Amino acid sequence: LHDNDFDMHFSAPGAGLDRLLTFWPQQHGKLLRNLPIVHEHPLHLTVVSADLADFDHVHPIAQSDGSLQLQYHFPHPGSYLLFAEFSPIGWRNQVFRFPLNVGTTEMAADPRLSVSGAAAKMLTCDPQMTAELYLQPRTLWAGTHSLLIFRLARQGQPVTDLQPYMGAMGHCAIISEDTQTFLHCHPEQLYPVSPDARGGPDMAFHAIFPKAGKYKVWGQFQRGGKVVIADFVVEVKDPLLPPKLINFVLNDY
């Protein structure tokens, strides 16, 4: 998830469901200050329950001592996983995984995911909205290029008024069933989006799944100033040929 040059210290003191989450990003053992702003924030934090049922995307705030902090209220007692990511200058995105127990003493077992059906899925945040997920190719292969295409509708009509959300027309988080793999993708777009841009109903995200298995996928979009989330479970298979050969034949490298 991260290069050996980087490390991150983490603490979560507090009582009950309320915790003060504090992060200290480091390079070669020294605190990294003034992290670059990427998609409007220096640090992106994804919080999921260990069973991958609960999902949240939040942003700790830089402090004068170089740390980044966030007062956070967990929805219920249980085991959680926190994925903290930042992009130091001249390096790729760095991701750190932190397990955390809240009101319990044991970490939950890895989740057992069921692949989502093909029918449109009603969104919990807005029951009048539905989402579908189209895969290109229809069978996802580990190590090869894939597109995840979300199609949004409301009351049966295509949604075309999606707004920019943190510098993009959407965000996509992906976590493997064993919770060891984390991916954060953004829509395919040639130019930066302007504040008054509108999009939909289709949003395509590029991803390369590193290994076979099941993955939970969350698409985040903004509409009418509110964030809507569509989640699915997909299965990735081992390719019949070496991934590099497949990508070469498809002219992807």
Side-chain angles (χ1 to χ4, degrees), residues 37-217:
I37 303 300
V38 178
H39 286 280
E40 300 182 0
H41 299 278
L43 183 71
H44 291 259
L45 178 65
T46 298
V47 181
V48 294
S49 55
D51 61 2
L52 301 185
D54 297 294
F55 171 90
D56 201 5
H57 179 179
V58 291
H59 305 96
I61 299 172
Q63 307 296 309
S64 59
D65 64 357
S67 67
L68 297 103
Q69 292 185 345
L70 177 68
Q71 188 69 46
Y72 191 80
H73 179 81
F74 289 88
H76 53 74
S79 299
Y80 291 85
L81 296 165
L82 282 63
F83 294 89
E85 52 179 322
F86 64 93
S87 298
I89 296 175
W91 294 78
R92 67 183 179 125
N93 191 46
Q94 307 292 314
V95 180
F96 294 84
R97 176 184 182 275
F98 299 103
L100 178 66
N101 290 328
V102 178
T104 184
T105 57
E106 298 183 2
M107 283 299 296
D110 292 339
R112 291 295 175 260
L113 301 177
S114 298
V115 176
S116 301
K121 181 175 184 179
M122 182 179 69
L123 303 190
T124 303
C125 54
D126 184 348
Q128 296 187 37
M129 285 189 66
T130 59
E132 297 173 272
L133 181 63
Y134 295 90
L135 309 177
Q136 182 62 40
R138 285 189 291 180
T139 299
L140 299 176
W141 305 103
T144 64
H145 295 273
S146 305
L147 281 180
L148 308 177
I149 305 170
F150 290 82
R151 179 168 294 169
L152 300 177
R154 193 171 194 274
Q155 296 180 330
Q157 299 300 313
V159 170
T160 58
D161 58 353
L162 296 178
Q163 301 166 317
Y165 176 50
M166 291 184 294
M169 293 306 297
H171 292 256
C172 180
I174 304 171
I175 300 178
S176 59
E177 187 174 44
D178 65 6
T179 73
Q180 297 300 311
T181 299
F182 174 86
L183 305 174
H184 184 173
C185 314
H186 302 107
E188 296 288 289
Q189 55 191 50
L190 295 177
Y191 305 102
V193 296
S194 62
D196 59 349
R198 295 296 179 265
D202 295 344
M203 284 293 160
F205 297 84
H206 172 262
I208 299 178
F209 295 88
K211 60 184 179 181
K214 295 177 183 176
Y215 292 79
K216 186 92 178 259
V217 178

Side-chain angles (χ1 to χ4, degrees), residues 142-146 208 242-253:
T144 64
H145 295 273
S146 305
I208 299 178
K244 288 186 177 181
L245 177 59
I246 295 175
N247 291 326
F248 175 79
V249 171
L250 295 177
N251 198 29
D252 283 330
Y253 278 167

